[in-house]
Amino acid sequence: MSQIASIYQAFLSTKGASTDSRSDNKDRMFFALKGANFNGNKYVKDVLKTGAAYAVADDPMLQDTRNVFIVEDVLSTLQALARFHRRQLNIPILAITGTNGKTTTKELVAAVLSQKYQIAATAGNFNNHIGVPLTLLSMDKSVELGVVEMGANHIGEIDALCQIAEPNYGLITNVGKAHLEGFGSFEGVKTAKGELYHYLKKNNGLVFINNDNPHLTQMAQGVTNTIEYGISQGMVTGHLTSEHPFISVKWQIDQLTEINTPTQLIGAYNLENILSAICIGHQLGVDTTAIHQAIATYTPTNNRSQFIQSARNQIIMDAYNANPSSMQVALLNFANIDTTNKVLILGGMKELGSDSETEHQKLIKNIESLPVSKVLLVGDEFKNMLPQKSIFQHFSSTDQLIAALKSAPLENACILIKGSRSNKLESLLPYL
């Protein structure tokens, strides 16, 4: 029996995998991962004492410790075990990646598919080289279909995740300027995300593709097994019927009866996410009534396109992340909202490398033409960029903005909050 097979037999007797020594590890298999600032091997004996069933470590000093598997590298073992488990489950896996919208799309797809199947989907943003294996290992024999979100900030990562998850279906939501430090350029982004198309083409998988996106159609050239959706062409077509504050979508399958679905989502940019969920649901056998119900009742969480009515203001909370393309569509949507006293609270965009200054200058130029009464900018990225207009204010940190809001509260405003995750703009909510 191979070492992975031996570890797997032990894994099946546990309550699942863990990589955090601080969490509840009782009856779990602990993987002692290492990073630049931590070494999980140091905590192996502690987690075993507090109830972990087994540990996987790569420190030879632990080889005589009971219930510890000593391996060459813990991370690659975690990944190999996840692939082994995926093969034992032998269920269809749908992979979702893209620059923007992948988490919202994943949640919409999961809501639709759960109308017919017992599904398991990526929790939160567990979408990297550690999160994807943990997602797979969280699936048990009751799961009929898996939905796996895949994130990346370097070329080669999506391919590596595909080698672990071995998806049968795939969707790229879109491609835009993000993580340019890692990808090098927009072409690098397309190459990286396109690794999902390449894997599915090579392994006879099925690609769902937005027919309205020229980048995606160009990237998918040579992929023959595709199903398309879009505004005017594809198996599923649809358009917005209203968008204040929540969007409603009228859609149809194969040009048959139109269905009008109200949603609890903010932003016209969510139309393509909704159409992809409808398309995937229909292809995998979910009936139209169930699809309508799933989308109508889906409520966004985690600071993604959330509409919040506070005691003093209306707030569009979209502060989970930001890059030039997601910022552009959010601002366009905000400009189209028919209301007065609009206020922008924007945090700096991270990981743009040498393009950072140029992209932030473009953003400010774009804002200058928008119908807004106040612009509050947070982060060093905006330093020394403010136009000579009284509506613009700059704050070096979110805490500094909180102090300003305490002394001069915003009232009766419609506020868009958007910025990269590290700005922690969600901490503004109690003061709005």
Side-chain angles (χ1 to χ4, degrees):
M1 185 184 287
S2 71
Q3 186 180 34
I4 288 294
S6 298
I7 295 172
Y8 188 63
Q9 286 304 309
F11 172 76
L12 290 176
S13 69
T14 72
K15 287 185 176 178
S18 167
T19 59
D20 187 348
S21 62
R22 298 161 300 181
S23 64
D24 181 6
N25 285 285
K26 187 167 172 54
D27 299 326
R28 293 186 175 275
M29 179 174 280
F30 174 70
F31 288 82
L33 296 175
K34 287 183 295 201
N37 302 309
F38 65 92
N39 183 349
N41 288 287
K42 292 180 179 178
Y43 307 105
V44 165
K45 290 183 179 179
D46 288 338
V47 296
L48 289 169
K49 278 179 192 170
T50 54
Y54 296 95
V56 178
D58 48 21
D59 182 349
M61 298 290 286
L62 293 165
Q63 62 186 353
D64 294 327
T65 308
R66 190 167 173 269
N67 290 346
V68 174
F69 291 94
I70 299 297
V71 298
E72 194 169 317
D73 179 75
V74 173
L75 176 59
S76 57
T77 301
L78 174 68
Q79 294 168 338
L81 187 71
R83 178 170 55 243
F84 191 92
H85 180 57
R86 185 262 177 277
R87 289 176 178 174
Q88 306 312 304
L89 290 174
N90 194 28
I91 58 172
I93 296 281
L94 166 72
I96 298 175
T97 192
T99 302
N100 303 315
K102 55 184 173 290
T103 299
T104 298
T105 300
K106 172 209 68 183
E107 291 181 356
L108 283 165
V109 168
V112 167
L113 293 177
S114 64
Q115 300 288 312
K116 179 179 172 69
Y117 300 99
Q118 182 72 33
I119 71 147
T122 301
N125 66 336
F126 267 46
N127 61 15
N128 64 5
H129 60 298
I130 297 168
V132 167
L134 290 175
T135 296
L136 294 167
L137 289 170
S138 73
M139 300 179 189
D140 61 25
K141 289 288 187 184
S142 70
V143 175
E144 299 172 301
L145 199 154
V147 181
V148 177
E149 181 182 330
M150 295 182 176
N153 51 27
H154 288 87
I155 289 172
E157 286 182 290
I158 296 296
D159 180 61
L161 296 177
C162 285
Q163 301 303 325
I164 297 167
E166 299 183 341
N168 311 90
Y169 306 100
L171 168 75
I172 301 175
T173 56
N174 49 52
V175 285
K177 291 182 177 180
H179 303 298
L180 295 181
E181 278 180 341
F183 292 131
S185 65
F186 179 51
E187 288 304 312
V189 175
K190 288 163 67 176
T191 298
K193 302 299 183 184
E195 289 164 8
L196 177 57
Y197 287 168
H198 181 75
Y199 176 87
L200 290 165
K201 177 185 175 184
K202 195 173 166 185
N203 293 277
N204 199 32
L206 177 63
V207 169
F208 296 94
I209 185 165
N210 181 356
N211 197 45
D212 299 322
N213 190 314
H215 296 302
L216 297 180
T217 52
Q218 179 258 325
M219 288 160 60
Q221 282 180 2
V223 180
T224 54
N225 199 9
T226 63
I227 291 180
E228 297 177 351
Y229 59 92
I231 293 172
S232 57
Q233 287 185 59
M235 183 180 78
V236 172
T237 55
H239 59 275
L240 296 177
T241 54
S242 67
E243 50 181 302
H244 303 303
F246 302 115
I247 60 174
S248 291
V249 178
K250 188 169 275 189
W251 54 278
Q252 58 188 152
I253 297 169
D254 294 329
Q255 305 300 315
L256 300 174
T257 308
E258 284 191 315
I259 297 170
N260 194 50
T261 303
T263 80
Q264 296 172 63
L265 287 162
I266 297 283
Y269 48 85
N270 275 307
L271 172 61
E272 60 190 73
N273 301 333
I274 291 166
L275 293 180
S276 68
I278 294 168
C279 187
I280 291 166
H282 175 70
Q283 177 63 24
L284 297 181
V286 183
D287 71 60
T288 52
T289 303
I291 292 172
H292 163 82
Q293 181 71 14
I295 291 169
T297 55
Y298 167 72
T299 305
T301 56
N302 209 12
N303 305 319
R304 299 175 192 272
S305 299
Q306 283 180 269
F307 179 77
I308 299 166
Q309 179 72 62
S310 76
R312 289 178 292 184
N313 301 290
Q314 290 185 329
I315 302 160
I316 298 169
M317 190 64 177
D318 195 11
Y320 187 82
N321 219 335
N323 54 58
S325 52
S326 70
M327 194 69 89
Q328 184 179 357
V329 294
L331 291 176
L332 180 62
N333 180 71
F334 192 57
N336 289 333
I337 293 176
D338 185 17
T339 188
T340 55
N341 194 21
K342 294 182 188 178
V343 174
L344 283 174
I345 300 179
L346 304 179
M349 300 177 287
K350 309 296 183 182
E351 294 185 57
L352 294 178
S354 59
D355 288 7
S356 183
E357 187 176 346
T358 304
E359 291 298 340
H360 284 90
Q361 285 172 337
K362 278 187 195 173
L363 175 60
I364 287 179
K365 193 169 180 59
N366 187 7
I367 294 168
E368 285 188 271
S369 63
L370 297 179
V372 296
S373 54
K374 192 172 282 192
V375 182
L376 308 177
L377 302 172
V378 179
D380 289 340
E381 292 84 0
F382 296 111
K383 203 173 182 180
N384 305 321
M385 284 189 186
L386 259 62
Q388 297 301 308
K389 288 186 177 180
S390 60
I391 65 166
F392 283 84
Q393 288 179 261
H394 176 252
F395 303 88
S396 60
S397 67
T398 302
D399 286 342
Q400 196 180 82
L401 174 52
I402 287 172
L405 290 171
K406 283 178 179 177
S407 59
L410 288 172
E411 294 188 348
N412 302 314
C414 180
I415 305 167
L416 171 64
I417 303 176
K418 186 161 183 67
S420 284
R421 180 73 193 87
S422 58
N423 294 294
K424 298 181 179 175
L425 295 178
E426 68 277 5
S427 60
L428 296 170
L429 283 177
Y431 308 97
L432 297 171

